[in-house]
C-alpha cells in the first residue's frame, strides 16, 4: 500500500497507489454520518499491469467495528492489504491501516499504520488534538528507532483511512457535472493536497452486480505520484451506501485497478 514518503513509492506501486486513489477525496465540510455503521466489510482485488496483462496481486479488506473507551464510543476503520501467496516469494506484503473516529462525523482521534513489505518495516501513530490543530506522531522503524514529532495541521486535514470513509458521506447527487473539491491528507507527517472532480453517473458491472455509480476523477498537487490528466478514477455506488466498487489508476511505472469482490453489513 503506502510506504516511505508519499514521493518515494517504487517497487510496490500496485498496492499502495490503489489504496491511495480511494482516499483522494476529503472535504473540509463537517458532514454527518448517515451511511456507515459498524460490522461493515468490503473486500477488493488489487490488480497491476504486468507486461501488458492485468494481474491479480493482492487482496484489500476494509472493515468497521465499534470500540468503547472510558470516555466515548468510537468507530474503528480498519484497512488491510496482503499479497496473494503466489507472490509472497517475490515481495510479501502484510499492511495494516486503522483509524478511530467519531461515529457521527468520522473525525479522527487516533490513527495507526503498520507496514510489512519485504524486508521493510515501519509503524506510525497519530494522536489528533483538533482544538489545537495538532497531531502528536510516533514513528518506529525496523531497528526499533523511535521518533516523536508534533505536527501543526490545517482545519479539516484527515488521515488517509478516515478520508477513505469520509468521501462516502458527501451528497454527490446534488453536485454539478465538473464540480471540483479540494482536500488535504496527512501522510508521513506531511499535508498532501489534491482535488476531486464529479463526472456524473455511469452504470458498470461488478462482482456484486450491475451498479449505477457516481464517477469521480482524482488528482494530486504532487505530480510525482499520480500521473496524467483524467487518468485516475473512482466509481461509488449511486445509492445510500456510496460504496467504492471500482478504481483505475495510472502511476509513473504503469497502471492498475481495484475491483470489489464482496460487501456485507451495509447500512441500507
Amino acid at each position: 500500500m503506502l510506504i516511505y514518503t508519499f514521493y518515494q513509492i517504487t517497487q510496490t506501486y500496485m498496492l499502495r497507489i490503489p489504496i491511495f486513489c480511494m482516499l483522494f477525496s476529503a472535504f473540509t465540510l463537517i458532514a454527518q454520518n448517515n451511511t456507515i455503521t459498524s460490522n461493515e466489510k468490503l473486500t477488493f482485488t488489487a490488480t497491476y499491469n504486468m507486461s501488458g496483462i492485468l494481474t491479480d496481486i493482492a487482496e484489500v479488506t476494509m472493515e468497521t467495528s465499534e470500540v468503547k473507551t472510558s470516555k466515548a464510543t468510537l468507530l474503528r476503520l480498519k484497512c488491510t492489504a496482503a499479497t496473494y501467496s503466489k507472490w509472497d516469494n517475490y515481495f510479501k506484503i502484510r499492511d495494516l491501516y486503522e483509524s478511530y473516529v467519531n461515529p457521527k462525523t468520522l473525525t479522527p482521534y487516533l490513527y495507526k499504520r503498520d507496514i510489512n513489505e519485504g524486508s521493510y518495516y515501519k509503524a506510525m501513530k497519530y494522536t489528533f488534538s483538533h482544538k489545537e490543530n495538532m497531531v502528536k506522531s510516533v514513528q518506529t522503524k525496523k531497528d526499533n528507532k523511535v521518533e516523536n514529532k508534533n505536527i501543526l495541521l490545517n482545519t479539516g486535514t484527515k488521515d488517509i483511512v478516515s478520508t477513505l470513509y469520509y468521501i462516502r458521506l458527501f451528497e454527490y447527487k446534488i453536485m454539478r457535472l465538473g464540480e471540483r473539491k479540494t482536500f488535504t491528507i496527512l501522510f508521513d507527517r506531511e499535508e498532501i493536497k489534491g482535488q476531486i472532480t464529479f463526472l456524473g453517473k455511469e452504470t458498470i458491472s461488478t462482482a456484486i452486480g450491475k451498479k449505477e455509480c457516481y464517477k469521480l476523477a482524482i488528482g494530486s498537487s504532487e505530480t510525482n505520484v499520480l500521473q496524467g490528466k483524467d487518468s485516475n478514477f473512482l466509481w461509488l455506488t449511486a445509492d445510500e451506501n456510496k460504496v467504492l466498487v471500482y478504481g483505475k489508476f495510472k502511476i509513473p511505472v504503469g497502471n492498475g485497478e481495484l475491483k470489489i469482490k464482496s460487501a456485507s453489513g451495509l447500512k441500507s
Side-chain angles (χ1 to χ4, degrees):
M1 295 199 315
L2 298 162
I3 191 175
Y4 303 115
T5 68
F6 187 82
Y7 314 98
Q8 296 171 320
I9 303 173
T10 53
Q11 52 190 322
T12 52
Y13 269 125
M14 69 292 293
L15 294 183
R16 302 170 200 144
I17 292 300
I19 294 299
F20 195 82
C21 286
M22 293 192 302
L23 310 172
F24 254 43
S25 323
F27 308 108
T28 56
L29 305 177
I30 305 300
Q32 292 296 307
N33 177 24
N34 297 310
T35 302
I36 301 158
T37 187
S38 60
N39 300 317
E40 179 186 279
K41 184 175 182 179
L42 308 175
T43 305
F44 303 86
T45 296
T47 65
Y48 184 71
N49 191 332
M50 302 181 70
S51 302
I53 300 174
L54 281 171
T55 304
D56 293 348
I57 298 295
E59 182 172 276
V60 176
T61 302
M62 298 168 58
E63 301 176 79
T64 66
S65 59
E66 186 180 89
V67 176
K68 293 186 177 181
T69 71
S70 60
K71 295 182 178 180
T73 298
L74 304 178
L75 189 63
R76 181 194 186 199
L77 311 175
K78 177 184 175 183
C79 181
T80 61
T83 42
Y84 291 119
S85 58
K86 65 180 180 180
W87 298 107
D88 283 349
N89 289 334
Y90 298 96
F91 199 88
K92 183 177 180 179
I93 292 181
R94 299 292 186 271
D95 290 351
L96 168 66
Y97 290 72
E98 55 185 350
S99 184
Y100 295 79
V101 303
N102 181 308
K104 294 181 180 180
T105 63
L106 302 192
T107 300
Y109 296 117
L110 178 66
Y111 164 79
K112 296 180 181 180
R113 179 166 63 123
D114 194 88
I115 303 301
N116 288 276
E117 301 181 348
S119 60
Y120 183 82
Y121 172 79
K122 181 178 179 179
M124 184 74 76
K125 177 181 176 182
Y126 296 154
T127 303
F128 287 82
S129 177
H130 295 287
K131 290 183 178 180
E132 299 176 359
N133 279 356
M134 186 181 72
V135 162
K136 295 181 179 179
S137 69
V138 181
Q139 176 178 277
T140 307
K141 292 191 174 182
K142 193 172 184 179
D143 57 4
N144 290 323
K145 181 180 179 181
V146 178
E147 182 181 277
N148 295 279
K149 183 179 180 180
N150 291 341
I151 307 161
L152 293 177
L153 296 181
N154 291 308
T155 301
T157 297
K158 299 180 182 295
D159 64 76
I160 58 177
V161 178
S162 56
T163 298
L164 167 58
Y165 282 88
Y166 191 76
I167 67 173
R168 293 170 55 191
L169 308 189
F170 200 74
E171 292 295 335
Y172 294 102
K173 61 185 178 183
I174 64 173
M175 287 183 66
R176 300 183 305 274
L177 188 67
E179 184 175 344
R180 295 181 177 182
K181 299 291 183 180
T182 59
F183 56 90
T184 307
I185 297 171
L186 180 64
F187 181 73
D188 271 349
R189 299 173 168 179
E190 293 186 22
E191 288 184 304
I192 307 298
K193 296 184 180 299
Q195 69 179 18
I196 184 171
T197 304
F198 179 65
L199 300 179
K201 290 183 179 180
E202 184 175 297
T203 300
I204 63 173
S205 296
T206 77
I208 59 173
K210 184 173 288 188
K211 298 293 183 181
E212 184 182 35
C213 296
Y214 299 119
K215 185 178 180 181
L216 312 173
I218 56 174
S220 170
S221 59
E222 311 300 335
T223 55
N224 288 342
V225 181
L226 299 176
Q227 300 293 316
K229 183 178 180 180
D230 293 336
S231 299
N232 309 284
F233 303 97
L234 303 178
W235 284 258
L236 307 183
T237 56
D239 54 25
E240 295 304 312
N241 296 311
K242 287 171 275 189
V243 171
L244 173 68
V245 291
Y246 184 45
K248 292 179 67 175
F249 62 93
K250 182 179 179 181
I251 52 180
V253 296
N255 58 77
E257 299 179 354
L258 193 77
K259 297 181 287 187
I260 196 162
K261 290 174 62 179
S262 64
S264 62
L266 299 178
K267 190 170 184 178
S268 60

